């Protein structure tokens, strides 16, 4: 099951939610957990509203207090950022490669620019 959420809208709803509303709508407890800036302040409320939150909060605390796990998390995060940067660079190179081939084939520079996302100046330099 997939849920699409407008986080800012839900933050406003969550901040005004009563304990009864949290009990009725478990998704609100998850949103409150993920958007909270002070877990300690809402921990009791979350656990009362949704029993699974007891385990969630325990696991979260265990994970964030374990230096080895946090280093592994940070390393994974850095790896994913590096992958994203590399992919973006490769996409830019691919755009330039395609634009160069289109330019060599005699297509209009403005057309190439509009369809590759490269500026007219970038296409002209190829």
């Amino acid at each position: 099951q997939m849920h699409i959420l407008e986080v800012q809208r839900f933050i406003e709803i969550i901040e005004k939610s009563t304990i009864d509303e949290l009990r009725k709508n478990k998704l609100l407890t998850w949103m409150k957990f993920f958007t909270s800036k002070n877990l300690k302040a809402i921990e009791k409320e979350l656990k009362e509203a949704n029993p699974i939150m007891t385990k969630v909060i325990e696991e979260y605390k265990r994970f964030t207090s374990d230096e080895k796990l946090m280093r592994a998390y940070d390393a994974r995060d850095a790896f994913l950022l590096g992958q994203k940067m590399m992919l973006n660079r490769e996409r830019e190179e691919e755009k330039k490669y395609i634009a160069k081939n289109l330019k060599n084939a005699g297509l209009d520079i403005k057309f190439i620019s509009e369809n590759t996302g490269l500026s007219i100046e970038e296409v002209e330099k190829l």
Side-chain angles (χ1 to χ4, degrees):
Q1 188 175 24
M2 184 167 87
H3 298 277
I4 299 174
L5 307 169
E6 293 178 49
V7 175
Q8 188 56 46
R9 191 175 123 227
F10 270 94
I11 289 171
E12 293 167 8
I13 291 169
I14 290 164
E15 287 173 353
K16 297 174 184 174
S17 296
T18 65
I19 190 74
D20 288 331
E21 290 169 328
L22 291 172
R23 282 186 187 120
K24 289 177 190 170
N25 187 345
K26 304 298 186 202
L27 181 59
L28 288 177
T29 60
W30 284 98
M31 290 299 298
K32 194 163 191 167
F33 172 76
F34 284 119
T35 59
S36 173
K37 293 182 177 121
N38 184 358
L39 182 60
K40 195 169 192 80
I42 62 167
E43 183 176 343
K44 184 178 177 187
E45 178 184 40
L46 291 177
K47 289 178 179 179
E48 185 180 333
N50 187 352
I52 193 69
M53 284 295 150
T54 299
K55 178 119 173 107
V56 169
I57 292 167
E58 285 172 13
E59 283 299 308
Y60 172 79
K61 287 178 177 179
R62 183 188 66 77
F63 183 86
T64 56
S65 67
D66 186 319
E67 193 174 313
K68 186 176 178 183
L69 285 175
M70 288 305 294
R71 277 197 315 269
Y73 175 81
D74 289 341
R76 171 106 174 113
D77 198 35
F79 170 77
L80 292 174
L81 178 61
Q83 290 286 335
K84 183 178 179 182
M85 291 170 61
M86 191 166 55
L87 181 60
N88 287 340
R89 187 178 67 229
E90 288 172 2
R91 285 181 178 155
E92 284 301 311
E93 290 173 9
E94 180 76 11
K95 279 194 232 179
K96 289 178 182 178
Y97 175 79
I98 291 169
K100 185 176 181 179
N101 287 340
L102 294 174
K103 183 179 175 189
N104 290 340
L107 271 71
D108 178 60
I109 289 178
K110 185 178 178 196
F111 173 83
I112 297 169
S113 172
E114 290 170 353
N115 289 281
T116 61
L118 298 175
S119 69
I120 291 174
E121 295 79 23
E122 289 174 298
V123 175
E124 288 173 341
K125 289 179 185 177
L126 298 174

